[in-house]
Amino acid sequence: MTDDAALRTEVRDWLAANWSPEVDRETFAAAVFEAGWTAPSWEPSCYGRGLTDRQSRLVAAEFAAAGAPGAGHDRADLFACTVHDCGSEEQKRRLLPPALRGESKWCLLYSEPGAGSDLAGLRTRAERDGHDWIVNGQKVWTSFATTADYGMLVARTDPDVPKHNGITFFMLPMRQPGVEIRPIHQITGESEFNEVFLTDARVPDANRIGEPGAGWSVLQVALGYERRLMGDIARTTRSRREKSSDLVELARDAGCLGDSHIRQQIARAHALAGVNRWNTQRAKTSPDRAEAATLLALGKIAMSRILHETARVATEIVGAEAMLSGPENPVGDAVTFRALNAYFTSIGGGTDQIQRNIIGERVLGLPKEPDPYRDAPFRDLPH
Ligand SMILES: Cc1cc2nc3c(=O)[nH]c(=O)nc-3n(C[C@H](O)[C@H](O)[C@H](O)COP(=O)(O)OP(=O)(O)OC[C@H]3O[C@@H](n4cnc5c(N)ncnc54)[C@H](O)[C@@H]3O)c2cc1C
């Protein structure tokens, strides 16, 4: 029996003994954590099993097949991944167990009204006050802020040094009087993202990840995980549990599966998705880290193109019905949602244009975009 086969059997046996849809979720989450299945690719001292990335995906696939929650934190939990890679031993011991048991939720306090693509221009300040830091400023487009326990915060702690050097990374407790959250109404009808106003909000120094002023490099780690995740999976339906209808199914229902033009378009969308899947798989199994990073850098932008292309073909298939939305028009509503939500991946986590810049600079080795203010103290930058 190969290692993979043995692992598969072990996970299946474990799930058979511990999981059923009726089981108490908290008890189950604790058991998954104890067994090391929440983040199996991490070392045992970090609650994992020291498996490879590919084996960790295999574990997650077995959990998904059984409909069991709790696996995949080593890939999808940006909070836990950042603490794992950049946190101190004390932070790992304190912050990882509740995160891996799904008890602490997080959001990303990065973008500001005047700092999105040029995130290093952020103006939210954090000032040291004894064992705490006091935070003032505004964040925007913060997904899931209303349910988060922690905000992964980048704030300016030193305005006297160049903009990239004066930023510090914190895990800010969200449930406190200094944090005011105002939902933003989105074009999809949802309000997943929010404005977050920080007024004398407090974060303990113990929740600072990395050294003061070294937040930019911690952020690069967190963004790397986010890009990788967004290149891998994307939401295509209004309800997260629902499976999006396949283009072939959609065309069959609309009576145009025999149309050669539609067939060509469906084939192209499938080919794009297939190539991205293979590239991502290749990246994850490649022992060459440089090759893996290159492939993963392409994943997010490829996913963005796939989502827009699929939405365009779906719109063409259903025709005028795509202009109708709401529960009384389920087909049109699903297609409209797909088209509008495709922007999530092409803007969130860094726009397509910024992904192209990253590929140009970090993968192809092209010269960096000129920035006359790169080395000037932040305080002297024009606003
Ligand atoms: C669905 C969704 C969820 C989000 N969730 C979060 C979240 O949870 N937390 C968070 O902090 N942020 C979040 N964001 C914000 C997102 O990260 C920013 O919107 C994004 O980084 C772009 O910043 P901006 O909106 O300020 O646009 P700008 O930076 O003002 O960009 C405007 C346009 O100019 C282009 N542009 C800018 N600079 C360059 C350049 N150097 N080269 C070429 N083109 C350039 C951009 O590509 C874009 O088309 C989310 C956004 C969306 C859409």
Side-chain angles (χ1 to χ4, degrees), residues 107-119 139-145 152 186 192-193 226 230 341 343-354 357 369:
C107 64
L108 307 173
L109 294 173
Y110 304 159
S111 307
E112 299 184 2
S117 299
D118 182 17
L119 195 54
K139 297 290 177 178
V140 71
W141 317 126
T142 314
S143 306
F144 312 117
M152 296 168 63
Q186 289 161 229
E192 269 185 358
F193 54 39
E226 188 179 359
M230 291 179 83
N341 200 57
Y343 288 93
F344 191 110
T345 300
S346 53
I347 303 176
T351 64
D352 285 354
Q353 290 74 26
I354 295 300
N357 285 353
E369 262 195 288

Side-chain angles (χ1 to χ4, degrees), residues 187-204:
I187 196 169
T188 52
E190 302 173 320
S191 288
E192 269 185 358
F193 54 39
N194 305 268
E195 293 180 291
V196 177
F197 294 85
L198 303 161
T199 312
D200 291 335
R202 282 189 172 263
V203 55

